[in-house]
Amino acid sequence: MNSFYKKDVWQIIEDGFHPEMNRKSESIFSIGNGYMGQRANSEEHYSGDSLQGSYIAGVYYPDKTRVGWWKNGYPEYFAKVLNAPNWIGIDISVNGKAVDLATSEIISFSRILNMKEGYLERSFRVTVSGNKTIEINSRRFVSMAEPDLGIIRYIVKSIDFEGTLDFTVYIDGDVKNEDSNYGEKFWIEVSKEINGNNGVLVTRTLKTDFYVATGMCFEFLKDNREIVIKTENIAREKYIASTVSLDIRKGEEVVLNKYVSVLSSLNNTKEKLTGDTKARLKEARTKGYAALFIGHKKEWERIWATSDVVIEGDILAQQAIRFNIFHLNQTYTGKDERLNIGPKGFTGEKYGGSTYWDTEAFDLPFFLKTADREVGKNLLLYRYKHLEKSIANAEKLGFKNGAALYPMVTMNGEECHNEWEITFEEIHRNGAIAFAIFNYIRHTGDDEYMADYGLEVLIGISRFWSQRATFSENLKKYVILGVTGPNEYENNVNNNWYTNSLAVWTLSYTIKNIRILERENPDKLSALYIKANFSFSDETARWQEIIKYMHFPVDSSRDIFLQQDGFLDKELKPASSIPSAERPINQHWSWDRILRSCFIKQADVLQGLYLFEDQFDTETIKRNYDFYEPMTVHESSLSACIHSIVASRIGNIEKAYELYLHTARLDLDDYNNEVSEGLHITSMAGTWLAIVEGFGGMRIKDGKILLNPLIPVNWLSYSFHARFRGLLFEVKVTKDSVSINNISEKPLDLVISGKEYQVEGSGKLILNLKIDFFS
């Protein structure tokens, strides 16, 4: 384990400036608020290696696909969230000499991410301009209370000299994406204004025509009083700035407060963007830095009150889980059904900020248990509103009659992923969306969702599975050929067990809910039949045949499910046999070598056993776990969390803890040497689930909460909050007790270690139980 950052339960701390780590730290210390985000770039000019990144949710560009050769069905573009105008800029010089951490003599440096209150702080001393030493402390946050606002407090102190400080406070729209397929810039200028210490730059995207107004105003203070300043304004293409010169004496401090508002045409009228931005800046400056920070901090207090996990006795685990929870909540707030969760959130360009199946499989369960019902519902509505485009996606691949294939990667419902083995074959994503509907309803009790939205999606997905399955005369079974399962180190395989399981489950679940609506809401069902041009008897007859006769590959001698047909033809070796110098294998081996190996990128069969564990006994799950986990290299960020949960399920708490720490500190310790590209936001939800569903054993079954808690040997206790059908409760587990604190007014029914209990509204239940753990 490479724990570069200091151990702290509420902070991530980088002590000393390490240029070789800068891109990684820019990812780790990123901040956001669901509406926009910012990598931890320096406010002042930095000439060293850096990935500048400012991002606005929902503002994207369709970068033309770049492939070696074209195949029918390929999408024409790869959508990506754009690197947006840089709003943090504050260049500073001392007696005409620029402060630049790449060239100035650094005496001390620290960078702190305060997760409890949601801000980034940098403090450093540098010597510039003839041995003159200054100390700079900058704190910035993007407001969780007023999401269009970003605020910076930038304090400069003279340590040992009298002289002149020159500030250039700016907004720069002349930015680009490093991952641009053809080196293009995606923004053009619409308008700009700069007048004294106020300015607004309006830019728009090529092709998608999103308009973004980025405005700033600022003030200088000495001794807590605003001072009169003289500004010189600069305006050039896609750039506005104000320069200010101030005299400073030894020991004196100058405080610069920079207020920024970012508005886009997603939520504002294009013609009014400049005026609206000016109005927001005026409001922000009138409130002032202190009041804005208090409002922001209160929002974080509210978020932590329902999503925090407290671990006693393990500071590495505690720091890591809060790091994951923090980034999840600052990436997605659930207030806008048009937005979703990119695998890197607001921390980097990789994966383009687009939506993957990760959202339904990993993020939705986290938000269902920690946030208001509307947050989870908006994630599902995002998919519902893309149903027509999913039908169009399927039609491009030859499917008919309303069959829906949800995209592997998307911004607006269109497929925009262009690797054939993913775009055409990783179709299990369809099943993740179907399962998400089930998961949402069992958590929330919102049965109306099925009638209003869910069943229409399920019918489209079921039609896809019906057409994708074919009958094998050889096997006398239905088969699904040419797929890629969750294990992306296997492409173009036949009868992936997980994919076939999801297909059968989806068909069964769809039929079940049609029957329910026949009894409970026949009018809505009739209207849906007309809208979807659906005939129950004609279509479900084939569905029933597929359900009954689907082929599932098995190994009878080991009594396990096979990942796919032919898996046993591989040379079966444990991942421990791979030399450490060749890990991760995706950075050292050819793709051909990986595909021929038995090594598994992430949970595949075990992903299915995680979802459908009610269908199998513990011994079946254990046999499959013991076979597959040793061959798993965990080179997907989505891997360790599922393995940790399943390990807890079979009572292997030692392995569950090892894998929990792996998933929880995946980014902090950069296990896969890729954090410089951004964090693994979507897998962070799996980290939380590894505690709640893994160690806590929380399940929902037959409308009740089940808890079967375990505790790692080195933990004194752990606690978490969770929601269920409008109820909020807290669970605390020690080595000899379980306590339930019902924070809601209504009674809470639950099953703990097989016994039923009820906790009265605002009541507490304490059970003296010996909790299993392994040394």
Side-chain angles (χ1 to χ4, degrees), residues 136-196:
I136 293 177
N137 179 278
S138 71
R139 177 183 290 188
R140 72 171 177 253
F141 63 95
V142 285
S143 176
M144 294 295 286
E146 302 184 52
D148 66 299
L149 297 182
I151 298 96
I152 302 171
R153 170 159 282 190
Y154 198 84
I155 304 173
V156 183
K157 180 179 180 179
S158 168
I159 301 301
D160 55 15
F161 72 95
E162 292 187 6
T164 302
L165 301 178
D166 294 311
F167 295 85
T168 300
V169 187
Y170 67 88
I171 294 169
D172 184 8
D174 191 21
V175 295
K176 63 181 181 180
N177 277 51
E178 279 196 352
D179 67 350
S180 170
N181 282 341
Y182 294 92
E184 297 176 283
K185 291 184 178 179
F186 302 139
W187 295 95
I188 60 175
E189 180 183 303
V190 175
S191 65
K192 58 178 176 280
E193 294 182 18
I194 182 70
N195 183 15

Side-chain angles (χ1 to χ4, degrees), residues 584-598:
I585 60 174
N586 61 22
Q587 296 177 21
H588 294 89
W589 288 14
S590 70
W591 195 244
D592 167 71
R593 186 180 178 188
I594 290 173
L595 291 177
R596 287 186 288 108
S597 79
C598 68

Side-chain angles (χ1 to χ4, degrees), residues 138-320:
S138 71
R139 177 183 290 188
R140 72 171 177 253
F141 63 95
V142 285
S143 176
M144 294 295 286
E146 302 184 52
D148 66 299
L149 297 182
I151 298 96
I152 302 171
R153 170 159 282 190
Y154 198 84
I155 304 173
V156 183
K157 180 179 180 179
S158 168
I159 301 301
D160 55 15
F161 72 95
E162 292 187 6
T164 302
L165 301 178
D166 294 311
F167 295 85
T168 300
V169 187
Y170 67 88
I171 294 169
D172 184 8
D174 191 21
V175 295
K176 63 181 181 180
N177 277 51
E178 279 196 352
D179 67 350
S180 170
N181 282 341
Y182 294 92
E184 297 176 283
K185 291 184 178 179
F186 302 139
W187 295 95
I188 60 175
E189 180 183 303
V190 175
S191 65
K192 58 178 176 280
E193 294 182 18
I194 182 70
N195 183 15
N197 60 347
N198 290 270
V200 179
L201 173 69
V202 180
T203 53
R204 71 175 178 88
T205 61
L206 295 168
K207 294 185 180 179
T208 45
D209 204 37
F210 291 107
Y211 279 57
V212 171
T214 310
M216 69 173 184
C217 67
F218 59 88
E219 61 196 7
F220 281 92
L221 297 88
K222 286 185 179 180
D223 299 323
N224 293 320
R225 293 183 180 180
E226 185 174 354
I227 59 175
V228 177
I229 57 173
K230 182 180 180 181
T231 62
E232 292 187 13
N233 297 142
I234 302 170
R236 58 177 184 261
E237 186 181 4
K238 293 185 278 189
Y239 179 93
I240 57 173
S242 289
T243 64
V244 177
S245 294
L246 296 175
D247 294 329
I248 192 168
R249 298 190 300 270
K250 179 180 178 180
E252 191 174 39
E253 283 188 349
V254 174
V255 178
L256 164 61
N257 291 329
K258 181 178 182 180
Y259 306 94
V260 173
S261 177
V262 179
L263 299 179
S264 81
S265 55
L266 273 173
N267 303 299
N268 300 79
T269 304
K270 293 177 181 178
E271 293 75 18
K272 295 182 178 180
L273 275 176
T274 298
D276 290 346
T277 304
K278 288 179 179 179
R280 290 295 292 131
L281 291 171
K282 184 177 181 181
E283 292 170 3
R285 191 174 177 194
T286 299
K287 287 184 178 181
Y289 174 87
L292 290 169
F293 182 66
I294 289 171
H296 168 73
K297 189 167 64 171
K298 285 182 177 179
E299 271 299 290
W300 273 112
E301 288 175 4
R302 182 189 64 79
I303 291 167
W304 285 115
T306 61
S307 62
D308 192 18
V309 172
V310 179
I311 299 170
E312 292 184 290
D314 189 343
I315 193 170
L316 284 175
Q318 178 67 88
Q319 181 185 46

Side-chain angles (χ1 to χ4, degrees), residues 416-540:
C416 59
H417 192 286
N418 51 41
E419 296 175 20
W420 67 270
E421 69 274 19
I422 305 298
T423 307
F424 302 155
E425 297 196 338
E426 201 162 334
I427 56 176
H428 66 82
R429 68 216 191 220
N430 245 15
I433 292 165
F435 192 86
I437 296 170
F438 162 72
N439 215 4
Y440 167 77
I441 293 173
R442 72 169 170 172
H443 274 83
T444 64
D446 183 10
D447 294 323
E448 287 298 309
Y449 186 87
M450 181 61 72
D452 293 339
Y453 309 104
L455 188 55
E456 187 177 353
V457 172
L458 289 172
I459 287 172
I461 292 174
S462 292
R463 283 169 161 170
F464 171 84
W465 289 126
S466 178
Q467 295 177 38
R468 190 61 168 79
T470 55
F471 189 75
S472 165
E473 287 292 342
N474 178 49
L475 293 173
K476 304 301 181 186
K477 295 278 188 178
Y478 281 91
V479 295
I480 300 181
L481 308 177
V483 303
T484 297
N487 172 29
E488 293 175 338
Y489 288 174
E490 294 271 18
N491 300 149
N492 199 35
V493 302
N494 295 333
N495 295 306
N496 172 256
W497 185 87
Y498 173 69
T499 302
N500 289 16
S501 296
L502 274 175
V504 167
W505 179 88
T506 302
L507 293 170
S508 299
Y509 184 61
T510 305
I511 293 171
K512 175 184 175 180
N513 281 280
I514 290 172
R515 293 298 191 193
I516 291 172
L517 282 188
E518 281 179 346
R519 297 192 308 268
E520 298 181 0
N521 207 329
D523 291 341
K524 280 191 177 179
L525 184 62
S526 296
L528 176 57
Y529 280 2
I530 294 170
K531 182 179 181 182
N533 192 25
F534 181 75
S535 168
F536 180 84
S537 58
D538 291 344
E539 297 198 44
T540 62

